[in-house]
Amino acid sequence: MSFAELDKLETGAHLPLGAHWDGNGVNFALVAPNATAVTLCVFDETGEKEVKRYQLPAAQEGIWHGYLPDAGPGLVYGYRLDGPYHPEAGHRYNTAKVLLDPYARRVIGSYGGQDDFRDDSPADTADIALKGQVIHEEYDWEGVTSPVIAPADMIIYEAHVKGITKLHPDVPEELRGSYAGLAHPAMLDYLAGLGITSIELLPVQARGDESRLLQMGLSNYWGYSTIGFFAPENRYWSGRPGTTPVSEFRDMVKALHSRGIEVLLDVVYNHTVEGGTGGAALSFRGIDNLMYYHLPPENLAEYVNWSGCGNCLNLGNPRVLQMVMDSLRYWVEEMHVDGFRFDLAPVLARDKEAYSTQSHFFAAIMQDPVLSRVKKIAEPWDLGPSGYQLGYFPPGWMEWNDAYRDTVRAFWLHQWPTLGEFTTRVAGSSDIFRHDGRLPASSINFITAHDGFTLQDLVSYNHKHNEANGEDNRDGCNKNHSWNCGVEGPATGERVNALRLRYKRAMMATLLLSQGTPMILAGDELGHSQRGNNNAYCQDNEITWLNWENADKTFMTFVRDVIRLRKQYKALGNDQWAEETVTHGDTAAIRWLSPSGGEITGSAWNNKSNYCMGAMIRVSSGEARRCLIMLNASAQDVVFRLPGGRWQIEMDSGGEIGKGAVLEFQALLEPYTILLAISR
């Protein structure tokens, strides 16, 4: 007898959660403590035709469960849930809605934004709903393991799986834009040759697209609209025979690991694509709205919106926290990823409303034997009360440092931060991170990221140009600290383009020579432009796809060389606070120098006319060799008096002094340049 001939399910077990094949059948377990009944719906392989329904026969600890004999991998399924439709009490049950299992390892179908998905609609969604597919895939990692990279040695490269290869001429066309494309030897050679240690991928968990975007013919390209926390996004699967999204994702991770590159995932556990009131019932809303989401206690028919996307997952609920922890462990243990960047991370630490480092989420992470060991990066702000929490994450966490971004941009392009502000940022932001034993690597230093201008646009546009997003250019940040160097947008004049290149080289060198953990936006080293769009979240096109054909190979080489220097001279990425790192004789590891050769002291730190300085750094404890970084952010040439001895130039961002040149007594710093020299 096949499972299709069965009239009812066996009882099965309430754990593990999700749908799991044991070799004889599939056990289904779904958390839904407020439902009065749960129906398992089985579909054909396309997910469009519902072929059978079964009542889950048992509920234990708020978990509904059942066992389907003779069922196996490949089975497509969803759920219908009975219960009250009473939004004022937080409940939005509707048996006309087929719902996705939150633990589904693969998602079948795509959300089209139809009104039928509204939780108050009587329309049946069986043919168009998202479904899960039972997955059981053995995988041979062939002995390839995760590289061991200390936080202080990381050089992060933030990239989009599709955008990085969609236009790459050396990646076969059928693989471009996919996990397999990123694993292609042409990409592996490039990334390894560039010298990055860690690739941070924009969200790859299964997503939907907001109905507003779909109506405009757009999509949530960045992927910050998750619906399946255990499933790789199907759109990045090449579809090659013999592969699945799961196997191809694993192939990508294995290929990157084989080249010594760790894989970090940008994850979105703060909200889902279901939106706020009037949004879609795709999964969580229809399974247990009251459990999954933060609802205002004074009005349970509404949604708390600390994410700015309509809803917030409630990790203060043990079952929701369990799902997030299970998801994170799945990606580490089964998919072998090395860490996570948490979008709008303060939301996760709001058990009720107030952000707290003592939250259930932080406690669960800290005690977990798997997750406590992986890289954890916070985007340290959200839209909730006291939503800006930079520097207030627990030990073991790294944080995106927007204070570094704004200060470095403004120092080079507008000359308004003081030397004191600037040096604090490039020395690891001790005012923010030096507490509870945290070290400079806690600061993720960046000048550009996916959200905002690219490096090329930072020096090409005074204003954002987001008209293509369909919001009348209202979206995106208005405070960019950018400068177009005299021409808005692309320029043909040699003087303007030379100035833009000089600024780019100076800022990139600053980033890679700063204490802390540098993060480079993929494409910046190529000179990629988004045409002034500083919020290209919905642009799945040549605005965001990297243009490899027109890459600035000279700048690419410069970036590669500075990365190599950072690795060669460990003092440039030292993970100790400067005054704690001493040589024999208690000589400070860093001395801040004025162009006259003396140390910067007193009021000179706050003198708004000082935009030239040096930093002399000991190469290592007990060694006499020193690194000397000299920079000039002003518009005039500056003669910099060198400390005693002979100095060999390792890098000149202006390109006027050749590598290997040996200087004594003084160096001429041209405008908007940074030099690195090593004592001989």
Side-chain angles (χ1 to χ4, degrees):
M1 178 181 293
S2 71
F3 73 81
E5 297 174 294
L6 294 175
D7 292 325
K8 62 180 182 178
L9 300 182
E10 296 177 7
T11 300
H14 74 299
L15 294 174
L17 298 175
H20 296 275
W21 180 62
D22 63 4
N24 298 306
V26 177
N27 191 82
F28 298 88
L30 178 74
V31 176
N34 290 301
T36 57
V38 177
T39 301
L40 171 69
C41 305
V42 177
F43 290 80
D44 67 2
E45 62 183 12
T46 69
E48 296 176 357
K49 182 181 179 181
E50 188 176 5
V51 296
K52 192 76 174 179
R53 296 184 186 181
Y54 301 96
Q55 291 288 318
L56 292 188
Q60 181 179 348
E61 300 173 6
I63 302 171
W64 293 81
H65 54 94
Y67 183 83
L68 185 56
D70 296 326
L75 181 77
V76 179
Y77 69 101
Y79 292 109
R80 298 177 188 269
L81 278 84
D82 283 280
Y85 185 82
H86 189 190
E88 291 74 18
H91 302 304
R92 295 178 179 271
Y93 291 102
N94 184 339
T95 56
K97 308 306 167 193
V98 171
L99 304 168
L100 176 68
D101 179 1
Y103 278 70
R105 268 37 173 187
R106 184 178 178 186
V107 176
I108 300 298
S110 59
Y111 170 51
Q114 300 94 325
D115 285 342
D116 290 357
F117 285 106
R118 288 177 56 103
D119 59 64
D120 59 356
S121 168
D124 194 288
T125 60
D127 57 338
I128 58 174
L130 301 178
K131 292 94 180 177
Q133 185 177 50
V134 178
I135 295 293
H136 185 90
E137 296 186 10
E138 301 292 338
Y139 188 79
D140 184 3
W141 290 95
E142 301 178 290
V144 177
T145 58
S146 297
V148 179
I149 301 169
D153 295 330
M154 292 173 69
I155 298 169
I156 301 172
Y157 189 76
E158 190 197 27
H160 189 285
V161 169
K162 182 176 183 178
I164 195 172
T165 63
K166 184 62 177 175
L167 300 178
H168 200 296
D170 296 329
V171 174
E173 187 171 356
E174 65 272 16
L175 301 183
R176 294 176 189 171
S178 70
Y179 304 120
L182 184 51
H184 188 270
M187 284 306 308
L188 298 176
D189 290 345
Y190 174 77
L191 295 171
L194 185 62
I196 62 108
T197 68
S198 316
I199 188 165
E200 182 178 303
L201 298 176
L202 267 68
V204 298
Q205 294 174 338
R207 77 174 200 258
D209 297 310
E210 297 88 338
S211 59
R212 175 185 62 83
L213 293 176
L214 293 169
Q215 291 167 10
M216 294 190 292
L218 301 172
S219 66
N220 194 315
Y221 170 73
W222 283 349
Y224 293 93
S225 51
T226 310
I227 191 61
F229 293 112
F230 292 79
E233 171 54 46
N234 293 325
R235 279 173 270 201
Y236 308 142
W237 173 45
S238 69
R240 292 174 302 158
T243 68
T244 66
V246 172
S247 69
E248 191 167 289
F249 183 92
R250 286 168 164 165
D251 287 343
M252 176 193 71
V253 173
K254 181 167 65 176
L256 288 162
H257 282 175
S258 72
R259 303 301 291 270
I261 300 170
E262 62 182 0
V263 179
L264 311 176
L265 300 186
D266 196 335
V267 288
V268 188
Y269 294 109
N270 59 78
H271 75 280
T272 76
V273 74
E274 290 186 317
T277 305
L282 304 175
S283 179
F284 310 97
R285 184 194 302 267
I287 292 172
D288 204 311
N289 184 68
L290 184 63
M291 178 183 76
Y292 274 110
Y293 292 118
H294 277 289
L295 309 178
E298 69 280 4
N299 186 359
L300 297 179
E302 298 294 329
Y303 292 84
V304 171
N305 191 21
W306 300 320
S307 68
C309 299
N311 63 52
C312 292
L313 282 175
N314 180 14
L315 273 68
N317 183 285
R319 287 299 188 190
V320 183
L321 177 61
Q322 178 187 16
M323 180 194 71
V324 171
M325 297 294 289
D326 287 347
S327 169
L328 291 168
R329 277 191 298 270
Y330 172 76
W331 288 96
V332 173
E333 295 183 310
E334 300 295 329
M335 308 298 256
H336 284 206
V337 305
D338 303 287
F340 305 94
R341 180 264 190 189
F342 293 87
D343 181 63
L344 301 181
V347 171
L348 312 181
R350 296 181 185 275
D351 291 343
K352 293 188 180 299
E353 180 176 285
Y355 169 83
S356 173
T357 57
Q358 306 302 311
S359 70
H360 297 155
F361 173 67
F362 287 138
I365 290 279
M366 184 173 292
Q367 62 78 43
D368 190 279
V370 174
L371 301 178
S372 61
R373 299 173 181 269
V374 303
K375 306 284 173 54
K376 297 171 286 293
I377 301 171
E379 181 183 42
W381 49 80
D382 67 10
L383 300 182
S386 302
Y388 188 68
Q389 293 293 334
L390 178 65
Y392 292 101
F393 278 71
W397 282 75
M398 308 164 85
E399 302 176 40
W400 274 27
N401 187 351
D402 64 324
Y404 177 95
R405 175 198 64 195
D406 293 348
T407 300
V408 172
R409 285 184 179 190
F411 184 81
W412 282 108
L413 298 177
H414 297 287
Q415 292 81 48
W416 62 251
T418 64
L419 287 181
E421 293 173 273
F422 179 75
T423 56
T424 297
R425 296 293 155 253
V426 301
S429 296
S430 60
D431 59 325
I432 297 172
F433 294 105
R434 192 178 179 186
H435 60 85
D436 297 322
R438 302 184 76 186
L439 297 171
S442 301
S443 175
I444 300 292
N445 298 332
F446 67 103
I447 296 172
T448 56
H450 70 274
D451 187 0
F453 280 144
T454 66
L455 188 61
Q456 181 65 38
D457 289 353
L458 189 64
V459 297
S460 302
Y461 294 91
N462 284 349
H463 309 287
K464 64 185 183 184
H465 295 269
N466 299 352
E467 291 80 5
N469 297 352
E471 299 181 48
D472 297 323
N473 207 35
R474 295 189 302 270
D475 62 307
C477 184
N478 294 313
K479 188 178 179 181
N480 297 292
H481 305 295
S482 62
W483 184 44
N484 65 15
C485 298
V487 176
E488 186 76 355
T492 57
E494 183 176 340
R495 183 192 65 82
V496 171
N497 285 323
L499 181 58
R500 288 175 176 176
L501 179 59
R502 184 174 286 268
Y503 275 127
K504 289 202 305 177
R505 289 166 70 104
M507 287 189 285
M508 184 63 77
T510 301
L511 174 65
L512 291 168
L513 299 181
S514 294
Q515 307 293 107
T517 305
M519 184 182 77
I520 300 169
L521 173 64
D524 274 356
E525 78 281 12
L526 311 178
H528 178 69
S529 170
Q530 292 182 166
R531 306 171 195 171
N533 193 322
N534 76 348
N535 188 36
Y537 74 103
C538 57
Q539 299 301 319
D540 187 359
N541 50 48
E542 293 186 1
I543 291 176
T544 53
W545 302 342
L546 302 192
N547 187 339
W548 293 91
E549 292 281 8
N550 295 326
D552 184 342
K553 293 187 170 73
T554 301
F555 187 56
M556 186 192 311
T557 300
F558 173 79
V559 175
R560 181 199 65 199
D561 289 346
V562 182
I563 290 175
R564 179 186 57 78
L565 289 169
R566 181 182 177 93
K567 292 181 175 181
Q568 180 178 352
Y569 299 108
K570 294 295 187 181
L572 299 175
N574 185 29
D575 199 25
Q576 295 292 324
W577 300 111
E579 62 270 33
E580 294 178 354
T581 310
V582 298
T583 64
H584 51 284
D586 291 336
T587 302
I590 298 182
R591 293 178 58 206
W592 304 103
L593 305 177
S594 69
S596 64
E599 293 197 19
I600 301 174
T601 59
S603 62
W605 285 112
N606 298 312
N607 187 331
K608 285 286 189 176
S609 65
N610 286 348
Y611 292 101
C612 181
M613 56 162 288
M616 188 164 63
I617 309 170
R618 292 283 180 182
V619 171
S620 63
S621 180
E623 185 174 349
R625 279 197 311 160
R626 296 159 292 168
C627 296
L628 178 61
I629 301 170
M630 297 166 280
L631 61 87
N632 178 19
S634 72
Q636 293 80 36
D637 290 344
V638 175
V639 175
F640 195 101
R641 184 175 178 180
L642 299 172
R646 306 173 72 206
W647 296 87
Q648 180 173 301
I649 298 299
E650 290 286 335
M651 183 274 297
D652 172 16
S653 71
E656 300 300 322
I657 305 177
K659 176 178 168 57
V662 176
L663 303 179
E664 291 185 85
F665 307 116
Q666 64 185 35
L668 179 65
L669 302 186
E670 294 197 325
Y672 320 123
T673 59
I674 181 169
L675 272 68
L676 172 65
I678 304 297
S679 63
R680 296 194 62 182

